[in-house]
Amino acid sequence: MLSITEHSYGLVGKCLSHSYSKVYFDEKIAKLGMDRHHYDLLEMPTPDKIRDVSIKNNLSGFNVTIPYKESIIPYLDSIDYSANEIGAVNTVKVLRDADGSLRLHGYNTDAPAFLDTLRPLLKPWHTDALILGTGGAAKAVAWALRQLGIGYLFVSRTPEQRPDSIGYSELKDSTQLLIVNATPVGMFPNVDASPWPYPDMLTQRHLCYDLIYNPSPTLFLRQAKQHEATIQDGLAMLHRQADLAFEIWEGENKTESN
Ligand code: NAP
């Protein structure tokens, strides 16, 4: 049974002009016939404003994007087990107590979305991975790889600051056949950039996954395709993390309205 209550959802971030989320959620809400729900882009100057934004927009739930996935955590009332392990939140459910006070509960749907979209592409030789970048998205990727039993190393511009990372200059000797771009390098408008410095190393046995979805494919994936590697862009993950967020928001709403 669908919820008949009106629910306001949204995406909270600093600069949201690049976002695809509103288009996706508007289409999803229309497809489900939930016309009383709506989804808005909510730019927020600093993470400490999250309660004000939730109250002002009467939010039942929201997604969190750059640069707040980690910095929002201290302003939430609780976060679930995997979001805590990852150290980043991209989905928040807003609960209201009888006295009207808000409780904000955080989740991470990026990590299971990455896992769900990676798993069908894996071959037996994808036992070790390189994760380019060390931010919130990279941590979600690492969590998913741990669930799948795949070893990984981060690749960072400052490897001296992290014992579990290597530098880009060390990549020419790397043997990992799964490469995940979790940096913004190659994202619109800088579409002529690639985070992977040695495209000629790529082979048919490589699986190259770029979390970027605009453009699709990125220069990294175009170069990988030229070398007959298997490629995956970030769109499938974007849709999956949004669907998982909607299930979190609506799952409890449905119960409440039954
Ligand atoms: P972020 O925190 O801004 O950056 C991630 C990491 O990339 C940084 O920690 C940094 O690691 C590295 N980096 C940043 N700028 C760089 C540069 N100019 N050159 C080389 N490395 C650089 O971003 P994020 O939130 O983790 O997201 C990363 C990417 O994933 C973004 O493009 C985002 O849109 C995408 N994403 C997609 C989905 C999806 O559903 N498809 C979900 C989440 C994120 P070091 O300082 O250690 O080098």
PDB file of all heavy atoms in Angstrom, residues 35-65:
ATOM      1  N   ASP A  35       2.126  11.601  -6.294  1.00  0.00           N
ATOM      2  CA  ASP A  35       2.199  13.000  -6.732  1.00  0.00           C
ATOM      3  C   ASP A  35       2.255  14.004  -5.586  1.00  0.00           C
ATOM      4  O   ASP A  35       2.607  15.166  -5.791  1.00  0.00           O
ATOM      5  CB  ASP A  35       1.011  13.328  -7.647  1.00  0.00           C
ATOM      6  CG  ASP A  35       1.062  12.487  -8.901  1.00  0.00           C
ATOM      7  OD1 ASP A  35       2.149  11.954  -9.188  1.00  0.00           O
ATOM      8  OD2 ASP A  35       0.012  12.328  -9.558  1.00  0.00           O
ATOM      9  N   ARG A  36       1.893  13.579  -4.378  1.00  0.00           N
ATOM     10  CA  ARG A  36       1.931  14.518  -3.240  1.00  0.00           C
ATOM     11  C   ARG A  36       3.352  14.668  -2.676  1.00  0.00           C
ATOM     12  O   ARG A  36       3.595  15.559  -1.877  1.00  0.00           O
ATOM     13  CB  ARG A  36       0.976  14.038  -2.138  1.00  0.00           C
ATOM     14  CG  ARG A  36      -0.501  14.153  -2.542  1.00  0.00           C
ATOM     15  CD  ARG A  36      -1.373  13.357  -1.597  1.00  0.00           C
ATOM     16  NE  ARG A  36      -1.314  13.876  -0.233  1.00  0.00           N
ATOM     17  CZ  ARG A  36      -2.078  14.856   0.233  1.00  0.00           C
ATOM     18  NH1 ARG A  36      -2.966  15.421  -0.553  1.00  0.00           N
ATOM     19  NH2 ARG A  36      -1.960  15.265   1.472  1.00  0.00           N
ATOM     20  N   HIS A  37       4.253  13.758  -3.084  1.00  0.00           N
ATOM     21  CA  HIS A  37       5.641  13.875  -2.634  1.00  0.00           C
ATOM     22  C   HIS A  37       6.396  14.828  -3.548  1.00  0.00           C
ATOM     23  O   HIS A  37       6.054  14.966  -4.714  1.00  0.00           O
ATOM     24  CB  HIS A  37       6.356  12.526  -2.735  1.00  0.00           C
ATOM     25  CG  HIS A  37       5.874  11.492  -1.760  1.00  0.00           C
ATOM     26  ND1 HIS A  37       4.729  11.600  -1.023  1.00  0.00           N
ATOM     27  CD2 HIS A  37       6.412  10.306  -1.412  1.00  0.00           C
ATOM     28  CE1 HIS A  37       4.591  10.534  -0.262  1.00  0.00           C
ATOM     29  NE2 HIS A  37       5.596   9.729  -0.477  1.00  0.00           N
ATOM     30  N   HIS A  38       7.445  15.456  -3.023  1.00  0.00           N
ATOM     31  CA  HIS A  38       8.326  16.187  -3.930  1.00  0.00           C
ATOM     32  C   HIS A  38       9.762  16.154  -3.429  1.00  0.00           C
ATOM     33  O   HIS A  38      10.036  15.854  -2.265  1.00  0.00           O
ATOM     34  CB  HIS A  38       7.844  17.621  -4.172  1.00  0.00           C
ATOM     35  CG  HIS A  38       7.589  18.389  -2.921  1.00  0.00           C
ATOM     36  ND1 HIS A  38       8.509  19.217  -2.365  1.00  0.00           N
ATOM     37  CD2 HIS A  38       6.505  18.411  -2.106  1.00  0.00           C
ATOM     38  CE1 HIS A  38       8.015  19.727  -1.258  1.00  0.00           C
ATOM     39  NE2 HIS A  38       6.808  19.257  -1.075  1.00  0.00           N
ATOM     40  N   TYR A  39      10.668  16.459  -4.365  1.00  0.00           N
ATOM     41  CA  TYR A  39      12.112  16.356  -4.115  1.00  0.00           C
ATOM     42  C   TYR A  39      12.760  17.646  -4.615  1.00  0.00           C
ATOM     43  O   TYR A  39      12.580  18.036  -5.772  1.00  0.00           O
ATOM     44  CB  TYR A  39      12.673  15.149  -4.879  1.00  0.00           C
ATOM     45  CG  TYR A  39      14.104  14.818  -4.553  1.00  0.00           C
ATOM     46  CD1 TYR A  39      14.411  13.861  -3.588  1.00  0.00           C
ATOM     47  CD2 TYR A  39      15.163  15.445  -5.196  1.00  0.00           C
ATOM     48  CE1 TYR A  39      15.733  13.545  -3.287  1.00  0.00           C
ATOM     49  CE2 TYR A  39      16.479  15.142  -4.892  1.00  0.00           C
ATOM     50  CZ  TYR A  39      16.755  14.182  -3.937  1.00  0.00           C
ATOM     51  OH  TYR A  39      18.067  13.863  -3.627  1.00  0.00           O
ATOM     52  N   ASP A  40      13.498  18.326  -3.727  1.00  0.00           N
ATOM     53  CA  ASP A  40      14.068  19.626  -4.085  1.00  0.00           C
ATOM     54  C   ASP A  40      15.580  19.639  -3.880  1.00  0.00           C
ATOM     55  O   ASP A  40      16.111  18.883  -3.067  1.00  0.00           O
ATOM     56  CB  ASP A  40      13.454  20.733  -3.212  1.00  0.00           C
ATOM     57  CG  ASP A  40      11.973  20.876  -3.483  1.00  0.00           C
ATOM     58  OD1 ASP A  40      11.610  21.025  -4.658  1.00  0.00           O
ATOM     59  OD2 ASP A  40      11.184  20.797  -2.519  1.00  0.00           O
ATOM     60  N   LEU A  41      16.243  20.521  -4.593  1.00  0.00           N
ATOM     61  CA  LEU A  41      17.683  20.744  -4.398  1.00  0.00           C
ATOM     62  C   LEU A  41      17.853  21.839  -3.355  1.00  0.00           C
ATOM     63  O   LEU A  41      17.308  22.936  -3.513  1.00  0.00           O
ATOM     64  CB  LEU A  41      18.337  21.163  -5.722  1.00  0.00           C
ATOM     65  CG  LEU A  41      18.235  20.134  -6.849  1.00  0.00           C
ATOM     66  CD1 LEU A  41      18.894  20.662  -8.123  1.00  0.00           C
ATOM     67  CD2 LEU A  41      18.871  18.802  -6.440  1.00  0.00           C
ATOM     68  N   LEU A  42      18.577  21.544  -2.265  1.00  0.00           N
ATOM     69  CA  LEU A  42      18.658  22.465  -1.123  1.00  0.00           C
ATOM     70  C   LEU A  42      20.122  22.811  -0.842  1.00  0.00           C
ATOM     71  O   LEU A  42      20.849  22.025  -0.209  1.00  0.00           O
ATOM     72  CB  LEU A  42      18.015  21.804   0.103  1.00  0.00           C
ATOM     73  CG  LEU A  42      16.558  21.342  -0.099  1.00  0.00           C
ATOM     74  CD1 LEU A  42      16.127  20.410   1.022  1.00  0.00           C
ATOM     75  CD2 LEU A  42      15.635  22.547  -0.183  1.00  0.00           C
ATOM     76  N   GLU A  43      20.551  23.942  -1.345  1.00  0.00           N
ATOM     77  CA  GLU A  43      21.946  24.337  -1.106  1.00  0.00           C
ATOM     78  C   GLU A  43      22.088  24.861   0.326  1.00  0.00           C
ATOM     79  O   GLU A  43      21.213  25.567   0.827  1.00  0.00           O
ATOM     80  CB  GLU A  43      22.380  25.383  -2.133  1.00  0.00           C
ATOM     81  CG  GLU A  43      22.443  24.771  -3.527  1.00  0.00           C
ATOM     82  CD  GLU A  43      23.122  25.629  -4.559  1.00  0.00           C
ATOM     83  OE1 GLU A  43      23.351  26.825  -4.294  1.00  0.00           O
ATOM     84  OE2 GLU A  43      23.425  25.098  -5.651  1.00  0.00           O
ATOM     85  N   MET A  44      23.176  24.447   0.969  1.00  0.00           N
ATOM     86  CA  MET A  44      23.375  24.769   2.389  1.00  0.00           C
ATOM     87  C   MET A  44      24.820  25.258   2.551  1.00  0.00           C
ATOM     88  O   MET A  44      25.748  24.576   2.112  1.00  0.00           O
ATOM     89  CB  MET A  44      23.126  23.479   3.195  1.00  0.00           C
ATOM     90  CG  MET A  44      23.253  23.615   4.684  1.00  0.00           C
ATOM     91  SD  MET A  44      22.672  22.113   5.528  1.00  0.00           S
ATOM     92  CE  MET A  44      24.040  20.992   5.244  1.00  0.00           C
ATOM     93  N   PRO A  45      25.032  26.423   3.197  1.00  0.00           N
ATOM     94  CA  PRO A  45      26.384  26.990   3.252  1.00  0.00           C
ATOM     95  C   PRO A  45      27.342  26.223   4.157  1.00  0.00           C
ATOM     96  O   PRO A  45      28.540  26.140   3.882  1.00  0.00           O
ATOM     97  CB  PRO A  45      26.166  28.413   3.778  1.00  0.00           C
ATOM     98  CG  PRO A  45      24.858  28.379   4.497  1.00  0.00           C
ATOM     99  CD  PRO A  45      24.032  27.334   3.817  1.00  0.00           C
ATOM    100  N   THR A  46      26.818  25.653   5.276  1.00  0.00           N
ATOM    101  CA  THR A  46      27.671  24.913   6.221  1.00  0.00           C
ATOM    102  C   THR A  46      26.834  23.776   6.835  1.00  0.00           C
ATOM    103  O   THR A  46      25.603  23.894   6.951  1.00  0.00           O
ATOM    104  CB  THR A  46      28.166  25.832   7.375  1.00  0.00           C
ATOM    105  OG1 THR A  46      27.031  26.545   7.910  1.00  0.00           O
ATOM    106  CG2 THR A  46      29.197  26.831   6.898  1.00  0.00           C
ATOM    107  N   PRO A  47      27.477  22.671   7.248  1.00  0.00           N
ATOM    108  CA  PRO A  47      26.702  21.506   7.692  1.00  0.00           C
ATOM    109  C   PRO A  47      25.912  21.734   8.987  1.00  0.00           C
ATOM    110  O   PRO A  47      24.911  21.048   9.240  1.00  0.00           O
ATOM    111  CB  PRO A  47      27.776  20.423   7.890  1.00  0.00           C
ATOM    112  CG  PRO A  47      29.061  21.146   8.024  1.00  0.00           C
ATOM    113  CD  PRO A  47      28.934  22.409   7.243  1.00  0.00           C
ATOM    114  N   ASP A  48      26.343  22.693   9.797  1.00  0.00           N
ATOM    115  CA  ASP A  48      25.641  22.918  11.068  1.00  0.00           C
ATOM    116  C   ASP A  48      24.226  23.483  10.860  1.00  0.00           C
ATOM    117  O   ASP A  48      23.437  23.538  11.805  1.00  0.00           O
ATOM    118  CB  ASP A  48      26.452  23.884  11.954  1.00  0.00           C
ATOM    119  CG  ASP A  48      26.709  25.199  11.245  1.00  0.00           C
ATOM    120  OD1 ASP A  48      27.179  25.170  10.097  1.00  0.00           O
ATOM    121  OD2 ASP A  48      26.423  26.260  11.825  1.00  0.00           O
ATOM    122  N   LYS A  49      23.892  23.829   9.615  1.00  0.00           N
ATOM    123  CA  LYS A  49      22.560  24.393   9.334  1.00  0.00           C
ATOM    124  C   LYS A  49      21.522  23.302   9.041  1.00  0.00           C
ATOM    125  O   LYS A  49      20.377  23.604   8.678  1.00  0.00           O
ATOM    126  CB  LYS A  49      22.637  25.333   8.116  1.00  0.00           C
ATOM    127  CG  LYS A  49      23.549  26.525   8.303  1.00  0.00           C
ATOM    128  CD  LYS A  49      22.869  27.606   9.145  1.00  0.00           C
ATOM    129  CE  LYS A  49      23.724  28.840   9.325  1.00  0.00           C
ATOM    130  NZ  LYS A  49      24.839  28.671  10.261  1.00  0.00           N
ATOM    131  N   ILE A  50      21.894  22.018   9.190  1.00  0.00           N
ATOM    132  CA  ILE A  50      21.034  20.953   8.689  1.00  0.00           C
ATOM    133  C   ILE A  50      19.658  20.883   9.385  1.00  0.00           C
ATOM    134  O   ILE A  50      18.651  20.574   8.766  1.00  0.00           O
ATOM    135  CB  ILE A  50      21.767  19.581   8.723  1.00  0.00           C
ATOM    136  CG1 ILE A  50      20.966  18.569   7.925  1.00  0.00           C
ATOM    137  CG2 ILE A  50      22.062  19.088  10.112  1.00  0.00           C
ATOM    138  CD1 ILE A  50      20.677  18.978   6.498  1.00  0.00           C
ATOM    139  N   ARG A  51      19.614  21.183  10.693  1.00  0.00           N
ATOM    140  CA  ARG A  51      18.325  21.159  11.385  1.00  0.00           C
ATOM    141  C   ARG A  51      17.407  22.276  10.861  1.00  0.00           C
ATOM    142  O   ARG A  51      16.222  22.064  10.613  1.00  0.00           O
ATOM    143  CB  ARG A  51      18.510  21.309  12.895  1.00  0.00           C
ATOM    144  CG  ARG A  51      18.330  20.016  13.609  1.00  0.00           C
ATOM    145  CD  ARG A  51      18.901  20.022  15.012  1.00  0.00           C
ATOM    146  NE  ARG A  51      19.584  18.772  15.161  1.00  0.00           N
ATOM    147  CZ  ARG A  51      18.978  17.621  15.412  1.00  0.00           C
ATOM    148  NH1 ARG A  51      17.682  17.561  15.614  1.00  0.00           N
ATOM    149  NH2 ARG A  51      19.662  16.510  15.483  1.00  0.00           N
ATOM    150  N   ASP A  52      17.975  23.469  10.679  1.00  0.00           N
ATOM    151  CA  ASP A  52      17.192  24.600  10.146  1.00  0.00           C
ATOM    152  C   ASP A  52      16.639  24.252   8.760  1.00  0.00           C
ATOM    153  O   ASP A  52      15.472  24.510   8.465  1.00  0.00           O
ATOM    154  CB  ASP A  52      18.069  25.859  10.007  1.00  0.00           C
ATOM    155  CG  ASP A  52      18.593  26.327  11.352  1.00  0.00           C
ATOM    156  OD1 ASP A  52      18.052  25.888  12.379  1.00  0.00           O
ATOM    157  OD2 ASP A  52      19.557  27.124  11.363  1.00  0.00           O
ATOM    158  N   VAL A  53      17.499  23.653   7.914  1.00  0.00           N
ATOM    159  CA  VAL A  53      17.069  23.283   6.553  1.00  0.00           C
ATOM    160  C   VAL A  53      15.949  22.236   6.626  1.00  0.00           C
ATOM    161  O   VAL A  53      14.952  22.322   5.905  1.00  0.00           O
ATOM    162  CB  VAL A  53      18.279  22.747   5.737  1.00  0.00           C
ATOM    163  CG1 VAL A  53      17.828  22.124   4.425  1.00  0.00           C
ATOM    164  CG2 VAL A  53      19.275  23.868   5.478  1.00  0.00           C
ATOM    165  N   SER A  54      16.089  21.270   7.537  1.00  0.00           N
ATOM    166  CA  SER A  54      15.075  20.205   7.664  1.00  0.00           C
ATOM    167  C   SER A  54      13.735  20.777   8.124  1.00  0.00           C
ATOM    168  O   SER A  54      12.675  20.389   7.619  1.00  0.00           O
ATOM    169  CB  SER A  54      15.531  19.155   8.684  1.00  0.00           C
ATOM    170  OG  SER A  54      16.744  18.593   8.295  1.00  0.00           O
ATOM    171  N   ILE A  55      13.787  21.709   9.079  1.00  0.00           N
ATOM    172  CA  ILE A  55      12.550  22.305   9.606  1.00  0.00           C
ATOM    173  C   ILE A  55      11.907  23.194   8.553  1.00  0.00           C
ATOM    174  O   ILE A  55      10.722  23.065   8.242  1.00  0.00           O
ATOM    175  CB  ILE A  55      12.839  23.087  10.906  1.00  0.00           C
ATOM    176  CG1 ILE A  55      13.249  22.119  12.020  1.00  0.00           C
ATOM    177  CG2 ILE A  55      11.625  23.915  11.337  1.00  0.00           C
ATOM    178  CD1 ILE A  55      13.870  22.775  13.236  1.00  0.00           C
ATOM    179  N   LYS A  56      12.734  24.070   7.963  1.00  0.00           N
ATOM    180  CA  LYS A  56      12.199  25.047   6.997  1.00  0.00           C
ATOM    181  C   LYS A  56      11.519  24.346   5.816  1.00  0.00           C
ATOM    182  O   LYS A  56      10.487  24.805   5.321  1.00  0.00           O
ATOM    183  CB  LYS A  56      13.354  25.924   6.502  1.00  0.00           C
ATOM    184  CG  LYS A  56      12.912  27.052   5.619  1.00  0.00           C
ATOM    185  CD  LYS A  56      14.061  28.002   5.323  1.00  0.00           C
ATOM    186  CE  LYS A  56      13.647  28.870   4.145  1.00  0.00           C
ATOM    187  NZ  LYS A  56      14.743  29.179   3.269  1.00  0.00           N
ATOM    188  N   ASN A  57      12.085  23.222   5.381  1.00  0.00           N
ATOM    189  CA  ASN A  57      11.541  22.531   4.205  1.00  0.00           C
ATOM    190  C   ASN A  57      10.657  21.347   4.579  1.00  0.00           C
ATOM    191  O   ASN A  57      10.238  20.591   3.714  1.00  0.00           O
ATOM    192  CB  ASN A  57      12.690  22.070   3.304  1.00  0.00           C
ATOM    193  CG  ASN A  57      13.466  23.239   2.740  1.00  0.00           C
ATOM    194  OD1 ASN A  57      13.016  23.876   1.802  1.00  0.00           O
ATOM    195  ND2 ASN A  57      14.609  23.547   3.349  1.00  0.00           N
ATOM    196  N   ASN A  58      10.382  21.191   5.877  1.00  0.00           N
ATOM    197  CA  ASN A  58       9.523  20.113   6.380  1.00  0.00           C
ATOM    198  C   ASN A  58       9.947  18.746   5.827  1.00  0.00           C
ATOM    199  O   ASN A  58       9.121  17.944   5.369  1.00  0.00           O
ATOM    200  CB  ASN A  58       8.057  20.415   6.009  1.00  0.00           C
ATOM    201  CG  ASN A  58       7.112  19.552   6.814  1.00  0.00           C
ATOM    202  OD1 ASN A  58       7.450  19.114   7.920  1.00  0.00           O
ATOM    203  ND2 ASN A  58       5.945  19.257   6.263  1.00  0.00           N
ATOM    204  N   LEU A  59      11.254  18.483   5.881  1.00  0.00           N
ATOM    205  CA  LEU A  59      11.791  17.283   5.240  1.00  0.00           C
ATOM    206  C   LEU A  59      11.443  16.009   6.007  1.00  0.00           C
ATOM    207  O   LEU A  59      11.491  15.989   7.244  1.00  0.00           O
ATOM    208  CB  LEU A  59      13.313  17.391   5.130  1.00  0.00           C
ATOM    209  CG  LEU A  59      13.854  18.472   4.196  1.00  0.00           C
ATOM    210  CD1 LEU A  59      15.388  18.494   4.242  1.00  0.00           C
ATOM    211  CD2 LEU A  59      13.368  18.247   2.762  1.00  0.00           C
ATOM    212  N   SER A  60      11.132  14.954   5.249  1.00  0.00           N
ATOM    213  CA  SER A  60      10.990  13.613   5.834  1.00  0.00           C
ATOM    214  C   SER A  60      12.267  12.814   5.638  1.00  0.00           C
ATOM    215  O   SER A  60      12.465  11.774   6.274  1.00  0.00           O
ATOM    216  CB  SER A  60       9.838  12.867   5.165  1.00  0.00           C
ATOM    217  OG  SER A  60       8.639  13.564   5.338  1.00  0.00           O
ATOM    218  N   GLY A  61      13.095  13.272   4.691  1.00  0.00           N
ATOM    219  CA  GLY A  61      14.362  12.596   4.437  1.00  0.00           C
ATOM    220  C   GLY A  61      15.132  13.382   3.415  1.00  0.00           C
ATOM    221  O   GLY A  61      14.564  14.207   2.685  1.00  0.00           O
ATOM    222  N   PHE A  62      16.449  13.146   3.364  1.00  0.00           N
ATOM    223  CA  PHE A  62      17.249  13.852   2.356  1.00  0.00           C
ATOM    224  C   PHE A  62      18.519  13.080   2.040  1.00  0.00           C
ATOM    225  O   PHE A  62      18.967  12.245   2.827  1.00  0.00           O
ATOM    226  CB  PHE A  62      17.570  15.290   2.797  1.00  0.00           C
ATOM    227  CG  PHE A  62      18.253  15.421   4.134  1.00  0.00           C
ATOM    228  CD1 PHE A  62      19.625  15.402   4.245  1.00  0.00           C
ATOM    229  CD2 PHE A  62      17.491  15.566   5.299  1.00  0.00           C
ATOM    230  CE1 PHE A  62      20.243  15.528   5.479  1.00  0.00           C
ATOM    231  CE2 PHE A  62      18.100  15.692   6.543  1.00  0.00           C
ATOM    232  CZ  PHE A  62      19.488  15.670   6.627  1.00  0.00           C
ATOM    233  N   ASN A  63      19.033  13.375   0.851  1.00  0.00           N
ATOM    234  CA  ASN A  63      20.353  12.882   0.461  1.00  0.00           C
ATOM    235  C   ASN A  63      21.376  13.960   0.788  1.00  0.00           C
ATOM    236  O   ASN A  63      21.040  15.141   0.839  1.00  0.00           O
ATOM    237  CB  ASN A  63      20.412  12.595  -1.043  1.00  0.00           C
ATOM    238  CG  ASN A  63      19.486  11.480  -1.473  1.00  0.00           C
ATOM    239  OD1 ASN A  63      18.609  11.673  -2.309  1.00  0.00           O
ATOM    240  ND2 ASN A  63      19.663  10.318  -0.888  1.00  0.00           N
ATOM    241  N   VAL A  64      22.615  13.525   0.982  1.00  0.00           N
ATOM    242  CA  VAL A  64      23.710  14.443   1.285  1.00  0.00           C
ATOM    243  C   VAL A  64      24.778  14.275   0.208  1.00  0.00           C
ATOM    244  O   VAL A  64      25.119  13.145  -0.158  1.00  0.00           O
ATOM    245  CB  VAL A  64      24.344  14.112   2.658  1.00  0.00           C
ATOM    246  CG1 VAL A  64      25.430  15.118   3.012  1.00  0.00           C
ATOM    247  CG2 VAL A  64      23.285  14.054   3.743  1.00  0.00           C
ATOM    248  N   THR A  65      25.285  15.390  -0.296  1.00  0.00           N
ATOM    249  CA  THR A  65      26.354  15.281  -1.297  1.00  0.00           C
ATOM    250  C   THR A  65      27.512  16.204  -0.965  1.00  0.00           C
ATOM    251  O   THR A  65      27.544  16.820   0.118  1.00  0.00           O
ATOM    252  CB  THR A  65      25.791  15.500  -2.724  1.00  0.00           C
ATOM    253  OG1 THR A  65      26.808  15.152  -3.673  1.00  0.00           O
ATOM    254  CG2 THR A  65      25.344  16.935  -2.959  1.00  0.00           C
TER     255      THR A  65
END
